[in-house]
Amino acid sequence: MRFGKQDRLFVLTGAGISAESGLATFRGSGGLWNGHRVEEVATPEAWEANPELVWRFYSMRRRDATDAQPNAAHRALAAIEEQMGDRFYLCTQNVDDLHERGGSRRLHHMHGELFQSRCVSCERPFSDRKFYESAAALPACETCGEPVRPHIVWFGEIPLDMEGIYRQLDRATVLLVIGTSGSVYPAAGFVHIANQRGIRTMYIGPEEPQNAEAFDEILSGTATEIVPQLLYTFRSFQSRCQNAARDY
Ligand code: OAD
C-alpha cells in the first residue's frame, strides 16, 4: 500500500510490537501468569478479591518493561511521525512505555499506563515506578488513605478517551494495525469502522489476526522486519513527490 504526504495515518499497536523487545504477548504466553489466566488478574473483581495478587502481577510487568528497550519498529513509527506531524496518530493497547522511549509523541494509551497509578477514590493518575510485592507494602493515597491501584483499563472497564480515538479515526485515510490478535474490543472493531468510512487498512504481524478478513492488505512478518521497510517506502515516496514538485 502506498501512503504519503496527503494521507492521515492512524496506527493501532498491540503486544506484538513489543515482543521483539522481550515483552511477552498475552495470547503468545498461553495467556497465563503463574498459573492464572490474565483475565483473572486484570479485572475489577480480581482487585476486589486479591489486591496483593494484582499488584504482584503489575509489579512484575513494571520490572520487565523497565529492563526492555524500544526496538526498530517503535523507532520507525516515531520517524514516520516526525515526517507526518499532526497527520499521524498512534493509539496503543500496550501499557509499556516503549513507544515514548522510541520517540513517539502523538500517542494515546487506550488501556492505561504501566508506570502510572491512581487512588480508587480521588482517581487522579500519577507517575509511579515502584514495585508492590507484599500485602504489607500495598500503596495507599497520601491525601485520603484509600487504596491505590494500577492505572490500567481492566476487562469490563471502558478504554480511555474513546471519543478522542473515534475523532482521530474519522479524520484518517489509512489505518495501520501492528501486532494485535484482533480479539479484544473495542480496538478489534476499528478496522470495521475504517471499512465503513472508506479508510484503507493494513495489518502487520507474523500470524493472521482474528479479524483478518476485514483488512485490505496483510503484510506477514514481524514488526521489526516490516515497519522499518514501511518508513523506507514512505521516505522514498516523499522524495519522489518533492522531486516531481521541483521538476514541475
Ligand atoms: P495478543 O497477545 O492477543 O496478541 C499479540 C499479537 O502479536 C498476536 O497476533 C501475534 O501474532 C503478534 N505478534 C507476535 N510477535 C510479533 C512480532 N514480533 N511482531 C508483530 N506481531 C507479533 O495481544 P493484544 O492483541 O495486544 O488488554 O491484546 C489486546 C489486549 O488484550 C491487551 O491490551 C490486553 C490484553 O488482555 C488489557 O489488559 C485490557
Side-chain angles (χ1 to χ4, degrees):
M1 180 188 294
R2 284 193 150 188
F3 75 102
K5 222 173 171 191
Q6 76 291 353
D7 278 313
R8 299 192 78 95
L9 180 62
F10 183 117
V11 182
L12 171 70
T13 60
I17 196 164
S18 295
E20 288 163 281
S21 293
L23 299 182
T25 62
F26 293 92
R27 274 94 206 156
S29 52
L32 287 181
W33 170 71
N34 278 3
H36 301 278
R37 285 177 39 237
V38 173
E39 288 83 349
E40 286 168 8
V41 202
T43 62
E45 293 75 24
W47 172 253
E48 281 301 313
N50 195 343
E52 184 195 342
L53 177 79
V54 172
W55 262 124
R56 271 202 286 126
F57 174 65
Y58 285 103
S59 297
M60 175 212 68
R61 294 189 58 193
R62 281 184 180 181
R63 281 187 195 283
D64 291 346
T66 303
D67 293 341
Q69 297 303 324
N71 63 45
H74 295 109
R75 289 194 299 274
L77 284 181
I80 293 175
E81 175 184 350
E82 205 174 300
Q83 308 243 334
M84 295 189 78
D86 65 5
R87 291 188 321 282
F88 177 96
Y89 176 77
L90 171 56
C91 176
T92 185
Q93 298 169 87
N94 299 346
V95 296
D96 66 57
D97 60 352
L98 295 180
H99 280 304
E100 290 89 320
R101 289 202 270 138
S104 288
R105 296 289 167 261
R106 291 167 184 84
L107 163 69
H108 174 58
H109 285 274
M110 66 180 291
H111 288 166
E113 295 185 47
L114 195 51
F115 295 107
Q116 295 205 341
S117 302
R118 69 171 193 266
C119 166
V120 297
S121 170
C122 314
E123 299 230 300
R124 229 192 344 266
F126 61 92
S127 166
D128 185 7
R129 305 190 74 89
K130 292 188 191 138
F131 310 115
Y132 306 108
E133 289 164 324
S134 74
L138 294 189
C141 178
E142 288 178 2
T143 311
C144 68
E146 289 291 313
V148 164
R149 59 167 273 181
H151 184 49
I152 300 284
V153 176
W154 287 326
F155 288 95
E157 296 182 325
I158 298 169
L160 305 175
D161 192 23
M162 288 306 299
E163 253 180 53
I165 294 174
Y166 288 134
R167 241 191 340 264
Q168 291 288 343
L169 196 50
D170 256 343
R171 307 164 72 198
T173 59
V174 177
L175 170 68
L176 170 64
V177 179
I178 306 167
T180 172
S181 55
S183 59
V184 174
Y185 284 80
F190 292 175
V191 64
H192 302 294
I193 295 173
N195 287 338
Q196 284 160 11
R197 309 218 167 128
I199 298 168
R200 284 128 63 205
T201 58
M202 179 193 275
Y203 178 80
I204 295 174
E207 301 158 333
E208 289 208 338
Q210 284 187 20
N211 51 3
E213 80 298 334
F215 285 89
D216 295 328
E217 204 172 321
I218 295 204
L219 297 185
S220 178
T222 73
T224 66
E225 284 164 2
I226 298 195
V227 185
Q229 279 179 32
L230 214 62
L231 168 64
Y232 177 76
T233 311
F234 179 73
R235 278 192 176 141
S236 48
F237 181 71
Q238 295 267 79
S239 75
R240 277 205 307 280
C241 289
Q242 275 158 9
N243 292 343
R246 203 189 44 226
D247 296 346
Y248 177 68

